[in-house]
Coordinates of all heavy atoms in Angstrom, one line a residue:
G292 N 27.5 -3.0 10.6 CA 27.9 -3.1 12.0 C 26.9 -3.7 12.9 O 27.1 -3.7 14.2
G293 N 25.8 -4.2 12.4 CA 24.8 -5.0 13.2 C 23.6 -4.2 13.6 O 22.8 -4.8 14.3
S294 N 23.3 -3.1 13.0 CA 22.2 -2.3 13.3 C 20.9 -2.8 12.6 O 20.8 -2.7 11.4 CB 22.3 -0.8 13.0 OG 21.1 -0.1 13.2
H295 N 20.0 -3.4 13.3 CA 18.8 -3.9 12.7 C 17.9 -2.8 12.3 O 17.2 -2.9 11.2 CB 18.0 -4.8 13.7 CG 16.8 -5.4 13.1 ND1 16.7 -6.1 12.0 CD2 15.5 -5.3 13.6 CE1 15.5 -6.5 11.7 NE2 14.7 -6.0 12.7
G296 N 17.9 -1.7 13.0 CA 17.1 -0.5 12.6 C 17.5 0.0 11.3 O 16.7 0.3 10.4
A297 N 18.9 0.1 11.1 CA 19.4 0.6 9.8 C 19.1 -0.4 8.7 O 18.8 0.0 7.6 CB 20.9 0.8 9.9
E298 N 19.1 -1.7 9.0 CA 18.8 -2.7 8.0 C 17.3 -2.5 7.5 O 17.0 -2.6 6.3 CB 19.0 -4.1 8.6 CG 18.7 -5.2 7.6 CD 18.8 -6.6 8.2 OE1 19.2 -6.6 9.4 OE2 18.6 -7.6 7.5
V299 N 16.4 -2.3 8.4 CA 15.0 -2.2 8.1 C 14.8 -0.9 7.3 O 14.0 -0.9 6.4 CB 14.1 -2.2 9.4 CG1 12.7 -1.9 9.0 CG2 14.2 -3.6 10.0
W300 N 15.4 0.2 7.7 CA 15.3 1.5 7.0 C 15.8 1.4 5.6 O 15.3 1.9 4.6 CB 15.9 2.6 7.8 CG 15.5 4.0 7.2 CD1 14.3 4.5 7.2 CD2 16.4 4.9 6.5 NE1 14.3 5.7 6.6 CE2 15.5 6.0 6.2 CE3 17.7 4.9 6.2 CZ2 16.0 7.1 5.5 CZ3 18.2 6.0 5.5 CH2 17.4 7.1 5.2
L301 N 17.0 0.7 5.4 CA 17.5 0.5 4.1 C 16.5 -0.3 3.2 O 16.4 0.0 2.0 CB 18.9 -0.3 4.2 CG 19.6 -0.5 2.8 CD1 19.9 0.8 2.1 CD2 20.8 -1.3 3.1
S302 N 15.8 -1.2 3.8 CA 14.8 -2.0 3.1 C 13.7 -1.0 2.5 O 13.2 -1.2 1.4 CB 14.1 -3.0 4.0 OG 15.0 -4.1 4.2
E303 N 13.4 0.0 3.3 CA 12.4 1.0 2.8 C 13.0 1.8 1.6 O 12.2 2.1 0.6 CB 12.1 2.0 3.9 CG 11.3 1.3 5.1 CD 10.0 0.7 4.6 OE1 9.2 1.4 4.0 OE2 9.8 -0.5 4.9
L304 N 14.2 2.1 1.6 CA 14.9 2.7 0.4 C 14.8 1.8 -0.8 O 14.6 2.2 -1.9 CB 16.3 3.2 0.8 CG 16.5 4.2 1.8 CD1 17.9 4.6 2.0 CD2 15.7 5.5 1.5
I305 N 15.0 0.5 -0.5 CA 15.0 -0.5 -1.6 C 13.6 -0.6 -2.1 O 13.4 -0.8 -3.3 CB 15.6 -1.8 -1.1 CG1 17.1 -1.6 -0.7 CG2 15.6 -2.8 -2.2 CD1 17.7 -2.8 0.0
W306 N 12.6 -0.6 -1.3 CA 11.2 -0.6 -1.7 C 11.0 0.5 -2.7 O 10.3 0.4 -3.7 CB 10.2 -0.5 -0.5 CG 9.7 -1.8 0.0 CD1 10.0 -2.3 1.2 CD2 8.7 -2.6 -0.6 NE1 9.3 -3.5 1.4 CE2 8.5 -3.7 0.3 CE3 8.0 -2.6 -1.8 CZ2 7.6 -4.7 0.1 CZ3 7.1 -3.7 -2.0 CH2 6.9 -4.7 -1.1
R307 N 11.5 1.7 -2.4 CA 11.3 2.9 -3.3 C 11.9 2.6 -4.6 O 11.3 2.9 -5.7 CB 12.1 4.0 -2.6 CG 12.1 5.3 -3.4 CD 12.8 6.4 -2.6 NE 13.0 7.6 -3.3 CZ 14.1 7.9 -4.0 NH1 15.1 7.1 -4.0 NH2 14.2 9.1 -4.7
E308 N 13.1 1.9 -4.7 CA 13.7 1.6 -6.0 C 13.0 0.5 -6.7 O 12.9 0.5 -7.9 CB 15.2 1.3 -5.7 CG 15.9 2.4 -5.0 CD 17.4 2.5 -5.3 OE1 17.9 1.6 -6.0 OE2 18.0 3.5 -4.9
F309 N 12.4 -0.4 -5.9 CA 11.6 -1.5 -6.5 C 10.4 -0.9 -7.3 O 10.2 -1.3 -8.4 CB 11.2 -2.4 -5.4 CG 10.2 -3.5 -5.8 CD1 10.7 -4.6 -6.7 CD2 8.9 -3.6 -5.4 CE1 9.8 -5.6 -7.0 CE2 8.1 -4.6 -5.8 CZ 8.5 -5.6 -6.6
Y310 N 9.7 0.0 -6.7 CA 8.6 0.6 -7.3 C 9.0 1.4 -8.5 O 8.2 1.5 -9.5 CB 7.8 1.4 -6.3 CG 6.9 0.6 -5.4 CD1 6.8 1.0 -4.1 CD2 6.2 -0.5 -5.9 CE1 6.0 0.2 -3.2 CE2 5.4 -1.3 -5.0 CZ 5.3 -0.9 -3.7 OH 4.5 -1.6 -2.8
H311 N 10.1 2.1 -8.5 CA 10.6 2.8 -9.6 C 10.9 1.9 -10.8 O 10.6 2.3 -12.0 CB 11.8 3.7 -9.3 CG 11.5 5.0 -8.7 ND1 11.1 6.1 -9.5 CD2 11.4 5.5 -7.4 CE1 10.8 7.1 -8.8 NE2 11.0 6.8 -7.5
Q312 N 11.5 0.8 -10.6 CA 11.8 -0.1 -11.7 C 10.5 -0.8 -12.2 O 10.4 -1.1 -13.4 CB 12.9 -1.2 -11.3 CG 12.5 -2.1 -10.2 CD 11.9 -3.5 -10.7 OE1 12.2 -3.9 -11.9 NE2 11.1 -4.1 -9.9
I313 N 9.5 -1.0 -11.3 CA 8.2 -1.5 -11.8 C 7.6 -0.4 -12.7 O 7.1 -0.8 -13.8 CB 7.3 -1.7 -10.6 CG1 7.7 -3.0 -9.8 CG2 5.8 -1.9 -11.1 CD1 7.6 -4.3 -10.6
L314 N 7.6 0.8 -12.4 CA 7.0 1.9 -13.2 C 7.8 1.9 -14.6 O 7.1 2.1 -15.6 CB 7.1 3.2 -12.5 CG 6.6 4.4 -13.4 CD1 5.1 4.3 -13.7 CD2 6.9 5.7 -12.6
H315 N 9.1 1.7 -14.5 CA 9.8 1.8 -15.8 C 9.5 0.6 -16.7 O 9.3 0.8 -17.9 CB 11.3 1.7 -15.5 CG 12.2 1.5 -16.7 ND1 12.4 2.5 -17.6 CD2 12.9 0.4 -17.1 CE1 13.2 2.0 -18.6 NE2 13.5 0.8 -18.3
H316 N 9.4 -0.6 -16.2 CA 9.1 -1.8 -17.0 C 7.7 -2.0 -17.3 O 7.3 -2.7 -18.2 CB 9.7 -3.0 -16.3 CG 11.2 -3.1 -16.3 ND1 11.9 -3.3 -17.5 CD2 12.2 -2.8 -15.4 CE1 13.3 -3.3 -17.2 NE2 13.4 -3.0 -15.9
H317 N 6.8 -1.5 -16.4 CA 5.4 -1.7 -16.6 C 4.6 -0.4 -16.5 O 3.8 -0.2 -15.5 CB 4.9 -2.7 -15.5 CG 5.7 -4.0 -15.4 ND1 5.5 -5.0 -16.3 CD2 6.7 -4.4 -14.6 CE1 6.3 -6.0 -16.0 NE2 7.0 -5.6 -15.0
P318 N 4.8 0.5 -17.4 CA 4.1 1.8 -17.4 C 2.6 1.7 -17.4 O 1.9 2.7 -17.0 CB 4.6 2.5 -18.6 CG 5.1 1.4 -19.5 CD 5.6 0.3 -18.7
H319 N 2.0 0.5 -17.7 CA 0.5 0.4 -17.7 C 0.0 0.5 -16.3 O -1.2 0.7 -16.1 CB 0.1 -0.9 -18.3 CG 0.3 -2.1 -17.4 ND1 1.5 -2.8 -17.4 CD2 -0.5 -2.7 -16.5 CE1 1.4 -3.8 -16.5 NE2 0.2 -3.8 -15.9
V320 N 0.8 0.4 -15.2 CA 0.3 0.6 -13.9 C -0.2 1.9 -13.6 O -1.0 2.1 -12.7 CB 1.4 0.3 -12.8 CG1 1.9 -1.2 -12.9 CG2 2.6 1.2 -12.9
V321 N 0.1 2.9 -14.4 CA -0.5 4.2 -14.3 C -1.9 4.1 -14.9 O -2.1 4.2 -16.2 CB 0.3 5.3 -15.0 CG1 -0.3 6.7 -14.9 CG2 1.7 5.3 -14.5
G322 N -2.9 4.0 -14.1 CA -4.3 3.9 -14.6 C -4.8 2.5 -14.6 O -6.0 2.3 -14.8
H323 N -4.0 1.5 -14.5 CA -4.4 0.1 -14.6 C -3.8 -0.8 -13.6 O -2.7 -0.4 -13.0 CB -4.1 -0.5 -16.0 CG -4.9 0.2 -17.1 ND1 -6.2 -0.2 -17.5 CD2 -4.5 1.1 -18.0 CE1 -6.6 0.6 -18.5 NE2 -5.6 1.4 -18.8
A324 N -4.4 -1.9 -13.2 CA -3.8 -2.8 -12.3 C -2.6 -3.5 -12.9 O -2.5 -3.8 -14.1 CB -4.9 -3.9 -11.9
F325 N -1.6 -3.6 -12.0 CA -0.4 -4.4 -12.5 C -0.8 -5.8 -12.9 O -0.4 -6.3 -14.0 CB 0.6 -4.5 -11.3 CG 1.8 -5.3 -11.6 CD1 2.9 -4.8 -12.3 CD2 1.8 -6.7 -11.3 CE1 4.0 -5.6 -12.6 CE2 2.9 -7.5 -11.6 CZ 4.0 -6.9 -12.2
K326 N -1.7 -6.4 -12.1 CA -2.2 -7.7 -12.5 C -3.5 -7.4 -13.3 O -4.5 -7.1 -12.7 CB -2.6 -8.5 -11.2 CG -1.3 -8.9 -10.4 CD -1.7 -9.6 -9.1 CE -0.5 -9.8 -8.2 NZ -0.9 -10.4 -6.9
R327 N -3.4 -7.6 -14.6 CA -4.4 -7.1 -15.5 C -5.8 -7.7 -15.1 O -6.8 -7.0 -15.4 CB -4.1 -7.5 -16.9 CG -2.8 -6.9 -17.4 CD -3.0 -5.5 -18.0 NE -1.9 -5.0 -18.8 CZ -1.9 -3.9 -19.5 NH1 -3.1 -3.2 -19.6 NH2 -0.9 -3.5 -20.2
E328 N -5.9 -8.9 -14.6 CA -7.2 -9.5 -14.3 C -8.0 -8.6 -13.3 O -9.2 -8.6 -13.3 CB -7.1 -10.9 -13.8 CG -6.4 -11.1 -12.5 CD -4.9 -11.3 -12.6 OE1 -4.3 -10.9 -13.6 OE2 -4.3 -11.9 -11.7
Y329 N -7.3 -7.8 -12.5 CA -8.0 -7.0 -11.5 C -8.6 -5.8 -12.0 O -9.3 -5.0 -11.3 CB -7.1 -6.8 -10.3 CG -6.9 -8.0 -9.4 CD1 -5.6 -8.5 -9.2 CD2 -8.0 -8.5 -8.8 CE1 -5.4 -9.6 -8.4 CE2 -7.8 -9.6 -8.0 CZ -6.5 -10.2 -7.8 OH -6.4 -11.3 -7.0
D330 N -8.3 -5.5 -13.3 CA -9.1 -4.4 -13.9 C -10.5 -4.7 -14.0 O -11.4 -3.8 -14.2 CB -8.5 -4.1 -15.3 CG -7.3 -3.2 -15.3 OD1 -7.1 -2.5 -14.3 OD2 -6.5 -3.2 -16.3
A331 N -10.9 -6.0 -13.9 CA -12.3 -6.4 -14.0 C -13.0 -6.3 -12.6 O -14.2 -6.6 -12.6 CB -12.4 -7.9 -14.5
L332 N -12.3 -5.9 -11.6 CA -13.0 -5.7 -10.3 C -14.2 -4.7 -10.4 O -14.0 -3.7 -11.0 CB -12.0 -5.2 -9.2 CG -11.1 -6.2 -8.6 CD1 -10.0 -5.5 -7.8 CD2 -11.9 -7.2 -7.7
H333 N -15.3 -5.1 -9.8 CA -16.4 -4.2 -9.8 C -16.4 -3.4 -8.5 O -16.7 -3.9 -7.4 CB -17.7 -5.0 -9.9 CG -19.0 -4.1 -9.7 ND1 -19.4 -3.2 -10.7 CD2 -19.8 -4.0 -8.7 CE1 -20.4 -2.6 -10.3 NE2 -20.8 -3.0 -9.1
F334 N -16.1 -2.1 -8.6 CA -16.1 -1.2 -7.4 C -17.4 -0.5 -7.3 O -18.2 -0.4 -8.3 CB -15.0 -0.2 -7.5 CG -13.6 -0.8 -7.4 CD1 -12.8 -0.9 -8.5 CD2 -13.2 -1.3 -6.2 CE1 -11.5 -1.5 -8.4 CE2 -11.9 -1.9 -6.1 CZ -11.1 -2.0 -7.2
E335 N -17.7 0.0 -6.1 CA -19.0 0.7 -5.8 C -19.0 2.0 -6.5 O -18.0 2.7 -6.6 CB -19.2 0.9 -4.3 CG -19.2 -0.4 -3.5 CD -20.4 -1.3 -3.9 OE1 -21.4 -0.8 -4.2 OE2 -20.2 -2.6 -3.9
H336 N -20.2 2.4 -7.1 CA -20.4 3.6 -7.7 C -21.7 4.2 -7.3 O -22.6 3.5 -6.7 CB -20.4 3.5 -9.2 CG -19.1 3.0 -9.8 ND1 -18.0 3.7 -10.0 CD2 -18.8 1.7 -10.2 CE1 -17.0 3.0 -10.5 NE2 -17.4 1.8 -10.6
G337 N -22.0 5.5 -7.6 CA -23.2 6.1 -7.3 C -23.2 7.0 -6.1 O -22.2 7.3 -5.5
R338 N -24.4 7.4 -5.6 CA -24.5 8.4 -4.6 C -23.9 8.0 -3.3 O -23.2 8.7 -2.6 CB -26.0 8.8 -4.4 CG -26.3 9.8 -3.4 CD -27.8 10.1 -3.3 NE -28.6 8.9 -3.0 CZ -28.7 8.4 -1.8 NH1 -28.1 9.0 -0.7 NH2 -29.4 7.3 -1.6
V339 N -24.2 6.8 -2.9 CA -23.7 6.3 -1.6 C -22.2 6.2 -1.6 O -21.5 6.5 -0.7 CB -24.3 4.9 -1.2 CG1 -23.6 4.3 0.0 CG2 -25.8 5.1 -1.0
A340 N -21.7 5.6 -2.7 CA -20.2 5.5 -2.9 C -19.5 6.9 -2.9 O -18.5 7.0 -2.2 CB -19.9 4.8 -4.2
D341 N -20.1 7.9 -3.5 CA -19.6 9.2 -3.5 C -19.6 9.8 -2.1 O -18.7 10.5 -1.7 CB -20.3 10.1 -4.5 CG -20.1 9.8 -5.9 OD1 -19.1 9.0 -6.2 OD2 -20.8 10.2 -6.8
A342 N -20.7 9.5 -1.4 CA -20.8 10.0 0.0 C -19.7 9.4 0.9 O -19.1 10.0 1.8 CB -22.2 9.8 0.6
H343 N -19.5 8.1 0.7 CA -18.4 7.4 1.4 C -17.1 7.9 1.1 O -16.2 8.1 2.0 CB -18.5 5.9 1.2 CG -19.6 5.2 1.9 ND1 -19.9 3.8 1.7 CD2 -20.5 5.6 2.8 CE1 -20.9 3.5 2.5 NE2 -21.3 4.6 3.2
F344 N -16.8 8.2 -0.2 CA -15.5 8.8 -0.5 C -15.3 10.1 0.1 O -14.2 10.4 0.6 CB -15.4 8.9 -2.1 CG -14.1 9.4 -2.5 CD1 -12.9 8.7 -2.4 CD2 -14.0 10.7 -3.1 CE1 -11.7 9.2 -2.8 CE2 -12.8 11.2 -3.5 CZ -11.6 10.4 -3.4

Side-chain angles (χ1 to χ4, degrees):
S294 171
H295 181 55
E298 179 183 2
V299 174
W300 192 65
L301 181 61
S302 291
E303 294 301 305
L304 296 181
I305 300 172
W306 264 109
R307 175 177 175 267
E308 305 210 349
F309 175 67
Y310 283 141
H311 273 279
Q312 64 93 29
I313 288 294
L314 178 62
H315 170 72
H316 288 287
H317 307 280
H319 75 273
V320 297
V321 181
H323 294 278
F325 174 85
K326 298 175 182 176
R327 297 278 194 168
E328 64 268 25
Y329 285 119
D330 278 338
L332 279 170
H333 175 73
F334 293 109
E335 300 298 324
H336 298 282
R338 181 179 56 82
V339 173
D341 290 345
H343 282 175
F344 181 67

